[in-house]
Amino acid sequence: MKLLRQLKPILLLLIFLAIWTLTPVVVKRFTQDAFYEFQAPMIAVQGYVKDLQTYWSLRTRSKNDLIEAGRDLSRLNSRYQIAQQENLTQEAEIARLESLLELPSRPEFRYEVARVAQRDISAWWHQVIIRKGENYNIPVGAAVIYNGGVVGRVREVHAYTATVELVSSPGFRMAANVVGEAAPVTYIGVVNPPFSPPRGEALNVPPTINVTPTEPRKLVSSELGGIFPAGLTIGEITALEPGSDGYFQKGSVRLSPQLSALREVAIVIPFGQELAIERAEMEESGGI
């Protein structure tokens, strides 16, 4: 009897695993979604509490600190205004050249800014949960960026939240380019040890490219990536070694340490995808 009591937790666990294995996939999926939606409000509340803590911590600052912060913000706004004017000029010039050469317009995007509610970073996966989901028409697979470059892609979308797989997560893969080189390379995420700077790996690097720790090469997103606009920073290739095929190289990519401390991100949503979503909603409601 004593042995039976000791083995009781293990037996219950085995029975539960057997029942769960025999459960239909539809029921499993519904249970998982229901459990996630049940805890989603608590995840969002954690994010709002952090914002409230930040607000009250700023209220404790002295007037001199606030004056200096306002001065820095004013300078930053001036820079952004100049950059915006330059962008408008460049867009007008691109539109003029497309019209003269009868070229198709490049795809346009809308950026949906979202706050990070929770971070889940371990050796096996790197992901964050944002406070926007189906309520803002966030699509699965959309690119996620920030002011420093690529963040990752949307892996799951729920009613009020979405899970973003970070570029440093094992299994993440995208097309990329070394700045100044036309040949595409492949970027993949790798297993990162705990408490270490995030890193990735570049595959199929041409043998003509050379890097050193003191002179790394910048890795950016490629047009071949599909969902990511071209030219966004991924990281820096700091070392190269021969690949398994004996011709191409593979290299270690140093990612930005900001990935583990992001507070806001932007989801890249193509305008064409938005129109398709709106049309589907109208068809469901019987509007067309």
Side-chain angles (χ1 to χ4, degrees):
M1 291 297 295
K2 183 177 180 180
L3 180 61
L4 183 61
R5 286 196 300 267
Q6 292 176 348
L7 295 177
K8 184 177 180 180
I10 299 177
L11 293 175
L12 292 176
L13 178 60
L14 293 176
I15 293 173
F16 174 79
L17 292 176
I19 295 174
W20 184 254
T21 303
L22 298 175
T23 302
V25 177
V26 176
V27 177
K28 292 181 181 178
R29 184 63 181 174
F30 175 78
T31 305
Q32 180 182 1
D33 292 343
F35 177 75
Y36 187 90
E37 296 296 349
F38 176 77
Q39 66 175 353
M42 294 303 300
I43 295 175
V45 167
Q46 292 177 6
Y48 287 116
V49 169
K50 291 180 181 178
D51 292 344
L52 187 61
Q53 291 174 345
T54 302
Y55 169 77
W56 283 109
S57 65
L58 292 175
R59 288 292 300 269
T60 61
R61 298 288 184 88
S62 65
K63 292 183 179 180
N64 291 335
D65 292 339
L66 295 178
I67 292 173
E68 291 179 1
R71 188 188 307 119
D72 294 339
L73 183 60
S74 177
R75 294 172 180 171
L76 188 60
N77 287 335
S78 299
R79 293 179 186 175
Y80 284 152
Q81 289 175 359
I82 296 173
Q84 185 181 21
Q85 294 175 1
E86 293 176 351
N87 289 337
L88 292 175
T89 303
Q90 292 174 359
E91 289 177 0
E93 180 65 14
I94 291 173
R96 186 182 70 85
L97 294 175
E98 288 177 346
S99 177
L100 289 175
L101 300 175
E102 297 182 354
L103 296 175
S105 298
R106 299 191 303 176
E108 297 180 348
F109 303 92
R110 176 178 71 85
Y111 299 101
E112 184 67 47
V113 179
R115 298 280 289 181
V116 174
Q118 189 179 70
R119 300 176 182 84
D120 188 5
I121 297 177
S122 66
W124 301 106
W125 61 77
H126 290 187
Q127 64 184 24
V128 296
I129 298 175
I130 58 176
R131 295 199 314 231
K132 289 186 178 180
E134 293 178 354
N135 55 335
Y136 283 87
N137 291 331
I138 304 298
V140 174
V144 184
I145 64 176
Y146 74 118
N147 60 353
V150 175
V151 173
R153 66 168 59 93
V154 177
R155 190 181 65 189
E156 296 178 352
V157 177
H158 303 277
Y160 303 102
T161 59
T163 302
V164 177
E165 181 184 23
L166 297 182
V167 69
S168 57
S169 183
F172 185 94
R173 180 182 293 264
M174 65 178 292
N177 283 111
V178 179
V179 172
E181 304 288 340
V185 302
T186 302
Y187 168 83
I188 61 172
V190 297
V191 176
N192 286 271
F195 309 109
S196 63
R199 305 189 69 87
E201 192 172 88
L203 305 178
N204 304 323
V205 181
T208 56
I209 297 177
N210 297 314
V211 302
T212 63
T214 57
E215 296 182 356
R217 298 291 298 273
K218 190 176 182 181
L219 191 68
V220 298
S221 58
S222 169
E223 292 182 349
L224 300 176
I227 63 173
F228 289 96
L232 297 175
T233 300
I234 300 174
E236 293 181 331
I237 301 178
T238 57
L240 287 171
E241 61 182 29
S244 58
D245 58 0
Y247 179 75
F248 289 103
Q249 305 179 92
K250 66 177 181 179
S252 177
V253 180
R254 180 175 60 204
L255 304 175
S256 172
Q258 296 183 37
L259 287 173
S260 59
L262 292 173
R263 302 185 64 183
E264 280 188 346
V265 297
I267 300 94
V268 181
I269 303 177
F271 285 140
Q273 190 167 7
E274 279 196 319
L275 294 176
I277 293 174
E278 293 178 0
R279 183 176 180 86
E281 291 178 347
M282 293 179 65
E283 290 178 350
E284 290 180 358
S285 61
I288 57 175

